[in-house]
Amino acid sequence: RPPAASRVPLPAIPGGSQTENYPEASRYVLLAHGSKRADTWVQLDALSGDLRRAGRAEVVAASVFFGDDSAAEEGGGEPRPPASLDALLRRMLAAEPARPIRILPFILGPSRALRAETPRLVREAAATCAAADVEVLPCLADVVDAEGARAVSVGLAEQIERTIAEAGLTRPFVLVCDHGSADAAVAAVRRTMVADVARLLGSAVVGVEPAPMERPSSLARGSEADDPLLEERLAGLCCADAAAVEVVVAMAFLSPGRHAGADGDVAEIVARATAGRADLRVHVSELLGDSRAVRRVLARAVGVA
């Protein structure tokens, strides 16, 4: 059984009781891309549970891909995948046709899954119920705070600052690592976070650069969405003096799993890059999805102060 995901407390509604008696209008689906890895299921289940307990909202997890609709009952005590979005919406609409449903993406940017697949699934489910009221809320990258700062950039800066403090670093170089995509809209989110983080951290770091984990085969080098990969960035770093280069890999991933888990692809890339190199010290941050800023966005979306 995988370890529990990193838990960030959510604020309770002032004066509110921790109750399962939800207001009529409050029904939310916490939506992830989906994964075959149990550590991701554990994180999503814990987060939806935290949101339910922090306020007075009904929150249930679902995924666009890899959902499990084989059994609705809990049992066995083992981690299980969330339901698929399609099946969950149909069940919710059948149970309470007129009660609104708000889909809260636990998804970083405007991926094709969110732009195309999710709207299709919503349309098809809503077509089964004349009274259906289903709305997809903005992805995390589209949420800004009262000062106009992007929540995901603030969250990533928080995780970098935590890494710097825990490792006792002085002005490290920062590489912002996400999955990598041939989609220009997704690449734009990465580059926006890089610019925001550089501004937020200022002189606390030497520099901030994008460094996606992989380059899809459909992505041409030098194209609009292309950035040097993490392994390429690390290989290109060298130190001209006796001190080692200190690098923070800022994990712009929401969930663990095959790529961002403890033994995932990013960890393997870092291990290969640092093997035999005393001049390169790499520190990997906690996940963006476990930052307080991201948790605050989700909490506010479901009415938690």
Side-chain angles (χ1 to χ4, degrees):
R1 184 187 180 95
S6 179
R7 303 295 291 279
V8 176
L10 293 167
I13 296 177
S17 61
Q18 309 305 305
T19 177
E20 296 294 319
N21 297 316
Y22 308 110
E24 184 65 24
S26 299
R27 193 159 57 149
Y28 296 89
V29 175
L30 182 65
L31 182 66
H33 270 127
S35 173
K36 295 180 179 180
R37 294 287 294 263
D39 49 1
T40 298
W41 312 337
V42 169
Q43 182 207 36
L44 193 65
D45 181 67
L47 179 53
S48 59
D50 286 347
L51 289 168
R52 284 195 301 272
R53 288 184 292 272
R56 289 172 287 182
E58 178 182 346
V59 184
V60 61
S63 62
V64 181
F65 307 110
F66 309 122
D68 181 10
D69 304 310
S70 60
E73 305 83 11
E74 296 183 4
E78 293 299 318
R80 294 232 313 268
S84 67
L85 177 61
D86 177 65
L88 178 62
L89 287 178
R90 291 172 188 265
R91 288 200 300 268
M92 294 173 75
L93 291 170
E96 297 179 271
R99 191 174 173 197
I101 299 172
R102 300 296 175 251
I103 297 175
L104 177 58
F106 189 53
I107 294 173
L108 180 56
S111 63
R112 289 191 177 93
L114 194 57
R115 297 199 316 262
E117 188 68 10
T118 298
R120 180 185 68 79
L121 295 173
V122 169
R123 286 194 303 270
E124 292 177 356
T128 67
C129 176
D133 179 2
V134 184
E135 179 185 355
V136 181
L137 301 178
C139 64
L140 290 170
D142 287 342
V143 179
V144 297
D145 63 19
E147 288 74 40
R150 292 172 183 82
V152 292
S153 300
V154 173
L156 198 59
E158 287 176 356
Q159 302 295 54
I160 295 166
E161 289 175 326
R162 177 180 174 184
T163 302
I164 291 173
E166 291 179 348
L169 305 179
T170 302
R171 301 194 71 228
F173 191 71
V174 175
L175 296 176
V176 173
C177 180
D178 66 353
H179 182 280
S181 172
D183 192 325
V186 176
V189 170
R190 180 197 317 130
R191 292 167 182 170
T192 297
M193 286 194 296
V194 166
D196 287 347
V197 166
R199 175 179 54 81
L200 290 166
L201 296 181
S203 61
V205 299
V206 172
V208 184
E209 295 291 346
M213 182 194 73
E214 67 181 17
R215 181 179 291 113
S217 58
S218 58
L219 177 61
R221 287 179 179 269
S223 64
E224 183 181 2
D226 188 40
D227 282 314
L229 300 182
L230 176 61
E231 63 181 330
E232 295 167 350
R233 293 280 196 193
L234 292 174
L237 289 173
C238 60
C239 189
D241 55 35
V245 176
E246 301 282 3
V247 180
V248 173
V249 174
M251 295 291 280
F253 290 82
L254 296 179
S255 299
R258 182 164 62 92
H259 304 308
D263 300 314
D265 295 332
V266 173
E268 291 183 2
I269 291 169
V270 169
R272 289 197 302 268
T274 56
R277 286 195 62 182
D279 66 322
L280 181 63
R281 297 174 186 163
V282 180
H283 311 266
V284 180
S285 80
E286 297 293 327
L287 302 181
L288 171 60
D290 288 328
S291 69
R292 291 184 180 276
V294 167
R295 299 303 173 99
R296 284 194 295 268
V297 168
L298 299 175
R300 287 169 184 161
V302 300
V304 180

